[in-house]
Amino acid sequence: MREAIIQIKNLTFELGDKLLFSLEGISISTGSRIFISGPTGCGKSSFAQWLAGLNNELYDVRAESLELYTETDKYDGIGSVQKLMAPMYVRQNPYKIFHPYFSIGHHFRDVLSNAKKGGLKNIDEVCESLSYLGIKRPAEFINRKVSEISQGEAQRCGVVLAMIRSTRLLILDEVTSNIDIPNSEKLLNFVLNFCSRRKIGLIIISHEKELLKKFDLEPYEITEEKKMVLSQKKSLETIMTAHGSRFDPQFLIKVIGLKISLPGRNEKDFLYFDTFFIVKNGVTGLSGVSGVGKTTLARALINEVPYNFGKLYWNDNEEIASANLFEESFNIRYLPQSVSTAFNPRMKIHSSLLEICRANKTPIELIDQFTREFGLNHNLLKKYPSELSGGEVQRMGVISMLIAKPDLIIFDESFSSIHTSLRSDIWKKVLSWQENSKSSILLISHDTNWLEAISDKVFYI
């Protein structure tokens, strides 16, 4: 593949009448290894989509010069970049990559048979790649639909799917946000080696600076002053908030001999806990490698997957004979990994939140209060879920949980797209709300350091 270089000078990037950021200059070549970070909603994903030719009509982009150089020619304009570089964009939400009614394998075979191939050549190479990335029994695994796999597994499948197509620029948008650290490192090494062998440029968009600093990448950052600048390679001090043991260490529910079936797998595959409990009025953490069954446990608690148990207790010591009684006794709210699916795509955010307040008889003033406290622009309430960034929609999702004032909230990787420092501020507000509401929280995350700092109890699968 021939060498190609994109050179951009003095660019301003606007969405409607809002300036997202300006950029003095950047060079992107088939040998580039670029990492872009910045606050939630600053325009990282918008820039990536613009490069790839997605939603270009939404953006007002002006540049002193935008030129593409190959070994023999020079071209002008973003159209030339999209035509000759064929940028491949892997989106934040992997559930939007795959059709919900077709198997993962169907997508791989469809692209293998119809696309101009530039990387992986056949289904055997696809399965070999998935196996390396930690997907067990990939030949069987790809027979599942996207709804039957975890978001971390879907993210890896999305990256492998992109590796089939012919491209000169691969753009990965928050593709490690729901993958544990060891598998994230393995995925990034795999991608870097693949791009080096194929002479493909690489742009990685992520807020996980601590993870990305381990790799030889050219770091750019969109600052609070709305400028994209080349930043220094330095470690990011993770800001965490621990709340110690200020909560009563009683349990909301306690299950002995919990056995949960794993959807789409054979009867021999299941989760088993000798004892599992959720701390009453506290935070219970749940962690484990991607695809091990963390989300399945959450779905069992809301009765979406079958389970059996030996004994079930609630409110510290009262035994329940049937799980149905437990489900009827508690108001449980679950925020899924793919947070945008928690909202009606045809309703504006404010309408969805208003509906929750009315259903739970809670003050509608809470909507404005939490929107302000979570650092969100009030105008976002007038938008549809698809119009928000990953971090913005996650914060709106958290708000949708809090305004319902449930007995138990299950957050499933619900803070993965939120910048680390902002996550700390939001978590302080969640804890303040919890202290007043006396609710319990089950927090699922692959960030074990964060979990151990903020949880009363952490379970590892």
Side-chain angles (χ1 to χ4, degrees):
M1 185 175 288
R2 294 183 303 167
E3 181 75 15
I5 301 175
I6 306 167
Q7 290 190 343
I8 304 174
K9 293 182 180 179
N10 295 328
L11 176 142
T12 59
F13 199 101
E14 297 180 354
L15 175 61
D17 57 356
K18 176 186 177 183
L19 173 66
L20 294 181
F21 65 87
S22 61
L23 170 65
E24 185 174 321
I26 189 172
S27 293
I28 307 169
S29 74
T30 47
S32 290
R33 305 291 178 260
I34 293 173
F35 161 44
I36 301 176
S37 64
T40 302
C42 68
K44 305 184 297 293
S45 297
S46 298
F47 179 66
Q49 292 172 16
W50 172 73
L51 282 175
L54 303 173
N55 302 322
N56 278 17
E57 70 279 0
L58 299 177
Y59 309 119
D60 183 7
V61 184
R62 297 182 294 276
E64 180 182 315
S65 64
L66 196 164
E67 299 167 332
L68 171 65
Y69 295 87
T70 67
E71 293 175 346
T72 57
D73 299 294
K74 172 190 169 186
Y75 303 88
D76 294 311
I78 189 63
S80 298
V81 171
Q82 294 160 1
K83 181 179 180 179
L84 298 174
M85 297 286 283
M88 178 58 58
Y89 173 66
V90 182
R91 62 176 68 234
Q92 287 188 39
N93 186 352
Y95 290 140
K96 291 185 177 180
I97 297 175
F98 299 96
H99 194 290
Y101 298 125
F102 295 114
S103 70
I104 299 297
H106 175 92
H107 293 82
F108 284 127
R109 294 185 181 92
D110 181 59
V111 176
L112 284 166
S113 61
N114 293 296
K116 181 181 177 182
K117 294 183 261 308
L120 305 178
K121 305 296 184 185
N122 52 56
I123 199 68
D124 289 335
E125 290 188 6
V126 167
C127 288
E128 183 180 343
S129 300
L130 291 174
S131 178
Y132 175 81
L133 295 176
I135 303 295
K136 296 180 180 178
R137 300 194 294 271
E140 298 176 18
F141 173 87
I142 61 175
N143 292 324
R144 301 179 201 165
K145 298 181 179 68
V146 69
S147 60
E148 298 173 328
I149 65 177
S150 73
Q151 187 153 350
E153 291 169 331
Q155 284 179 318
R156 282 172 278 180
C157 288
V159 172
V160 172
L161 186 68
M163 290 178 169
I164 299 173
R165 300 179 184 272
S166 177
T167 181
R168 304 175 81 174
L169 179 61
L170 181 62
I171 307 172
L172 306 181
D173 193 350
E174 299 283 7
V175 297
T176 61
S177 60
N178 292 290
I179 305 176
D180 57 276
I181 297 300
N183 277 315
S184 291
E185 292 177 351
K186 185 176 288 187
L187 174 62
L188 293 171
N189 275 315
F190 182 74
V191 169
L192 286 166
N193 289 333
F194 176 85
C195 290
S196 295
R197 293 196 311 271
R198 300 287 175 180
K199 295 183 179 179
I200 297 172
L202 176 65
I203 297 176
I204 299 174
I205 296 171
S206 178
H207 66 277
E208 297 182 275
K209 290 186 178 181
E210 193 68 24
L211 170 65
L212 272 295
K213 75 170 187 177
K214 301 176 183 179
F215 300 88
D216 187 18
L217 303 171
E218 189 177 6
Y220 281 81
E221 181 175 10
I222 299 178
T223 66
E224 293 182 357
E225 291 75 28
K226 298 184 178 182
K227 294 183 179 181
M228 185 188 290
V229 297
L230 184 63
S231 59
Q232 297 296 318
K233 295 184 180 180
K234 60 182 180 180
S235 63
L236 175 72
E237 181 180 355
T238 303
I239 303 173
M240 299 181 179
T241 305
H243 59 264
S245 57
R246 65 183 180 87
F247 290 113
D248 186 342
Q250 296 177 325
F251 56 79
L252 178 71
I253 62 167
K254 180 178 180 180
V255 190
I256 297 174
L258 177 61
K259 180 179 179 181
I260 305 172
S261 301
L262 294 173
R265 308 188 193 183
N266 60 50
E267 295 180 357
K268 296 181 180 180
D269 288 332
F270 57 85
L271 287 178
Y272 183 81
F273 294 84
D274 286 328
T275 302
F276 175 78
F277 61 85
I278 293 177
V279 178
K280 186 176 182 179
N281 302 339
V283 179
T284 304
L286 179 65
S287 190
V289 297
S290 300
V292 76
K294 303 184 296 296
T295 296
T296 301
L297 171 60
R299 292 177 61 197
L301 291 173
I302 58 174
N303 204 32
E304 286 191 357
V305 297
Y307 61 92
N308 297 300
F309 59 88
K311 291 186 177 182
L312 174 63
Y313 300 89
W314 73 298
N315 274 341
D316 205 34
N317 56 17
E318 185 175 341
E319 185 173 354
I320 301 175
S322 169
N324 290 332
L325 180 59
F326 162 70
E327 293 155 9
E328 294 168 0
S329 302
F330 291 104
N331 177 10
I332 304 176
R333 299 281 296 179
Y334 170 61
L335 190 61
Q337 293 185 27
S338 180
V339 176
S340 60
T341 61
F343 293 99
N344 186 330
R346 297 187 177 183
M347 290 177 65
K348 294 181 179 180
I349 294 293
H350 188 267
S351 297
S352 293
L353 297 178
L354 193 61
E355 195 174 72
I356 295 171
C357 285
R358 287 170 176 167
N360 292 275
K361 299 180 180 180
T362 52
I364 61 174
E365 291 80 13
L366 289 175
I367 298 174
D368 289 338
Q369 175 187 328
F370 284 124
T371 300
R372 182 175 60 255
E373 290 181 356
F374 282 18
L376 292 164
N377 190 309
H378 192 269
N379 290 330
L380 294 177
L381 293 169
K382 302 175 184 178
K383 296 188 176 183
Y384 294 96
S386 60
E387 297 177 306
L388 273 59
S389 71
E392 289 169 343
V393 78
Q394 281 195 331
R395 279 180 280 172
M396 288 297 186
V398 173
I399 291 173
S400 74
M401 298 291 103
L402 303 187
I403 62 176
K405 292 192 174 180
D407 299 298
L408 171 63
I409 297 179
I410 304 173
F411 288 125
D412 192 352
E413 297 285 5
S414 304
F415 300 85
S416 59
S417 294
I418 301 174
H419 192 272
T420 309
S421 58
L422 181 58
R423 180 179 69 178
S424 177
D425 291 338
I426 290 173
W427 189 250
K428 289 178 183 178
K429 293 177 174 61
V430 170
L431 289 182
S432 176
W433 165 88
Q434 183 192 40
E435 190 169 17
N436 293 322
S437 67
K438 304 301 181 184
S439 295
S440 302
I441 293 175
L442 175 61
L443 182 61
I444 301 173
S445 177
H446 67 269
D447 190 337
T448 56
N449 290 331
W450 184 53
L451 276 184
E452 290 176 355
I454 64 176
S455 302
D456 297 286
K457 170 70 177 178
V458 180
F459 287 91
Y460 295 93
I461 302 180

